[in-house]
Amino acid sequence: MEANNIESLHLTINGKRLWNQLMDLGKIGEEDNGGVTRTSLDQKDIEARKWFLNLLEQADLSPYMDAAGNIFGQIIGKNPELPAVLIGSHLDTVNSGGCFDGAMGVLMGVEVLCTLKEKGIQPERTIKVVSLTDEEGARFDYAFVGSTALVGTEGADKLKENLAAATDKEGISYLEVMRQASLEGEYFNQINPDRLELAQVREKDVKAYIEVHIEQGKVLENEDLAVGIVTGISGGEWAEVTITGEAGHAGTTWMNERKDALTAAAECILEIEKIAQDSSGSVATVGKLEVKPGSSNVIPGRVDFTLDVRDIDNERRENTIAKIYDSIRAIAADRGLRCEIRPVQSLASVMSSPSVMKAVKDSLQEIPYPVYELPSGAAHDAMVLGELTDIGMIFIRSKSGISHHPDEWSSFEDVALGCEVLYRTTLKLL
Ligand code: GLV
Ligand code: MN
Ligand code: MN
């Protein structure tokens, strides 16, 4: 069945309503180039949160916000003490990203809850849609804040410590920004970075977490499929590296007298690329580089760069990271420079739960639509939630595989079909 025959599929969900909401939300933070920027708790993210809270209120989904700024809508089940089903993703974006990454998964959750309500279905267990605070980490180079608080991964005190240490480019700490956000009025007054333990949910309260996301790759497009079942998500390690040499005059310092931090960093970056290439599976990226003092006629005395290493195989990823760290230290030492490596965040890869995957598969067969499975190279909140509960993800075809970019796109037909799969999957889990 081709997805563009959508009219013949008799979908239960309201695809047009979902699409219109997605396009409306995409206007918040939209820039001239068509990109969308809503980084955590910036003015546009706060505007999007208010828009979302209003949507939940209009849909009579009893919204609330928790201490970490996660926003929930819900239908209370007939049997509220049963563990709840959670559908979610995030509303924040990277700088100049697209309007699908995150937002689509959250709005699909709303559409599922609205459809249940319209059909007069009160499920046995409670169902919630959640928008998780800061999946992207674009503003503070610190990601998964909402999901980490929800799961209680590293403990509330440690998370608070990390939020105090993380600063944006203006030098304002995450903690301070959260405190400011708590003054935004109703709902926001629940944000409390000093009591993040209040956001933690218990394992016994959640049955499963499902996230729908654009694929951000070309696999589904190449297979000519609108929807795929995610088998697992690659783990990642994120670190910051500082190379310290000696700044000096570009005209008067002989080449053999230099301690150039940038040439050392350049050698490190090429070596990182080679180590990942030789690993047959890991990917490694240096995406951000800061050169100091940053003058054309001064030898760079200090370079800070970020490191992002991913792999679905945890052991291989750890191996790749160890090799990268060793080579950075060796390159710095060879050149007589100092280096400091600060691991920032680390997440193990997570496998989807067989029972959630089966519910997605059965839903596809019911429609009927071909069943296709693929892994996720991108990170998602589902990785963090995987420490708490059964997780599953549904991918929607991305045009040309483009994402984290203004041209990010999935078609109306694919989004509607994906939401139908989510609705049917959810019914099976409820
Ligand atoms: C999240 O988008 C990531 O994979 O970095
Ligand atoms: Mn993203
Ligand atoms: Mn995302």
Side-chain angles (χ1 to χ4, degrees):
M1 174 77 64
E2 259 306 310
N4 48 19
N5 292 333
I6 193 137
E7 299 301 340
S8 66
L9 289 177
H10 304 297
L11 303 187
T12 328
I13 57 96
N14 185 336
K16 290 204 171 76
R17 172 171 61 192
L18 165 64
W19 184 260
N20 290 339
Q21 287 167 359
L22 190 56
M23 293 302 116
D24 282 351
L25 177 54
K27 293 194 183 88
I28 304 178
E30 189 178 21
E31 297 156 343
D32 292 344
N33 65 357
V36 181
T37 300
R38 294 191 300 260
T39 63
S40 189
L41 297 172
D42 68 11
Q43 198 203 330
K44 292 297 174 187
D45 182 39
I46 288 184
E47 195 180 325
R49 285 163 174 271
K50 289 180 178 168
W51 178 93
F52 182 57
L53 285 161
N54 182 52
L55 180 76
L56 294 174
E57 277 178 353
Q58 298 303 315
D60 197 17
L61 291 174
S62 321
Y64 67 96
M65 207 183 283
D66 70 14
N70 297 317
I71 302 173
F72 296 82
Q74 56 184 336
I75 299 175
I76 305 291
K78 286 188 208 144
N79 207 339
E81 51 291 338
L82 285 177
V85 170
L86 236 57
I87 305 175
S89 199
H90 58 97
L91 295 184
D92 68 302
T93 70
V94 294
N95 287 300
S96 224
C99 71
F100 293 83
D101 181 352
M104 184 187 71
V106 175
L107 293 176
M108 279 196 190
V110 176
E111 182 54 37
V112 166
L113 268 62
C114 286
T115 305
L116 287 171
K117 253 187 186 288
E118 283 163 4
K119 293 192 138 311
I121 300 173
Q122 189 194 6
E124 279 304 313
R125 50 182 88 243
T126 295
I127 175 163
K128 299 190 184 195
V129 54
V130 58
S131 161
L132 294 155
T133 295
D134 199 351
E135 187 269 350
E136 299 286 9
R139 179 170 175 190
F140 299 93
D141 283 328
Y142 190 76
F144 306 108
V145 172
S147 45
T148 302
L150 202 71
V151 173
T153 321
E154 44 190 11
D157 291 344
K158 180 71 183 140
L159 180 56
K160 182 181 165 186
E161 208 178 283
N162 292 345
L163 295 178
T167 52
D168 69 2
K169 63 178 190 305
E170 314 296 336
I172 308 172
S173 80
Y174 211 143
L175 204 63
E176 181 51 30
V177 166
M178 273 201 162
R179 290 196 178 121
Q180 283 168 10
S182 72
L183 306 175
E184 287 287 333
E186 201 192 352
Y187 300 113
F188 288 83
N189 54 17
Q190 295 305 308
I191 297 180
N192 188 346
D194 299 301
R195 297 287 316 277
L196 288 165
E197 68 278 9
L198 295 174
Q200 193 175 339
V201 296
R202 288 164 304 177
E203 199 177 332
K204 70 172 192 48
D205 293 333
V206 188
K207 178 182 163 67
Y209 171 81
I210 323 169
E211 182 164 355
V212 184
H213 207 279
I214 48 160
E215 184 207 327
Q216 311 182 281
K218 289 185 201 163
V219 176
L220 291 173
E221 192 175 73
N222 290 340
E223 294 292 330
D224 201 16
L225 290 171
V227 178
I229 308 176
V230 177
T231 51
I233 311 168
S234 286
E237 172 135 346
W238 295 268
E240 292 165 355
V241 180
T242 302
I243 309 269
T244 312
E246 271 169 25
H249 196 291
T252 60
T253 317
W254 296 117
M255 294 310 286
N256 62 356
E257 290 172 350
R258 295 181 178 215
K259 290 196 172 161
D260 184 332
L262 183 57
T263 50
E267 194 179 338
C268 290
I269 294 165
L270 288 175
E271 192 54 28
I272 290 166
E273 181 183 50
K274 184 162 183 330
I275 291 167
Q277 276 165 349
D278 293 346
S279 71
S280 25
S282 302
V283 289
T285 307
V286 174
K288 210 162 153 182
L289 194 81
E290 209 179 324
V291 181
K292 288 175 186 154
S295 292
S296 57
N297 59 354
V298 181
I299 299 161
R302 172 176 168 149
V303 170
D304 294 281
F305 64 86
T306 57
L307 177 65
D308 173 317
V309 182
R310 320 268 184 119
D311 201 315
I312 193 100
D313 182 323
N314 286 319
E315 204 180 309
R316 190 172 54 203
R317 192 185 68 254
E318 277 161 23
N319 238 325
T320 303
I321 290 160
K323 280 190 187 151
I324 287 175
Y325 288 177
D326 283 350
S327 83
I328 293 171
R329 291 190 188 103
I331 290 166
D334 271 3
R335 289 171 169 261
L337 278 70
R338 280 179 291 128
C339 77
E340 192 195 341
I341 302 170
R342 296 177 300 279
V344 176
Q345 245 170 336
S346 172
L347 284 172
S349 62
V350 175
M351 290 300 145
S352 298
S353 138
S355 61
V356 180
M357 283 179 68
K358 179 169 185 318
V360 183
K361 184 176 171 185
D362 291 347
S363 302
L364 284 163
Q365 285 172 337
E366 231 169 64
I367 286 177
Y369 196 81
V371 171
Y372 184 82
E373 296 181 354
L374 72 168
S376 171
H380 300 287
D381 285 308
M383 299 167 79
V384 183
L385 269 294
E387 293 168 33
L388 178 81
T389 189
D390 282 353
I391 62 118
M393 288 193 74
I394 299 168
F395 270 174
I396 309 297
R397 165 168 51 192
S398 294
K399 186 164 183 284
S400 309
I402 297 169
S403 181
H404 284 185
H405 187 279
D407 293 345
E408 181 179 280
W409 190 255
S410 293
S411 72
F412 163 71
E413 289 78 10
D414 289 2
V415 171
L417 179 63
C419 190
E420 180 71 17
V421 177
L422 175 67
Y423 176 71
R424 289 167 186 256
T425 301
T426 309
L427 280 181
K428 295 180 194 357
L429 296 171
L430 284 172

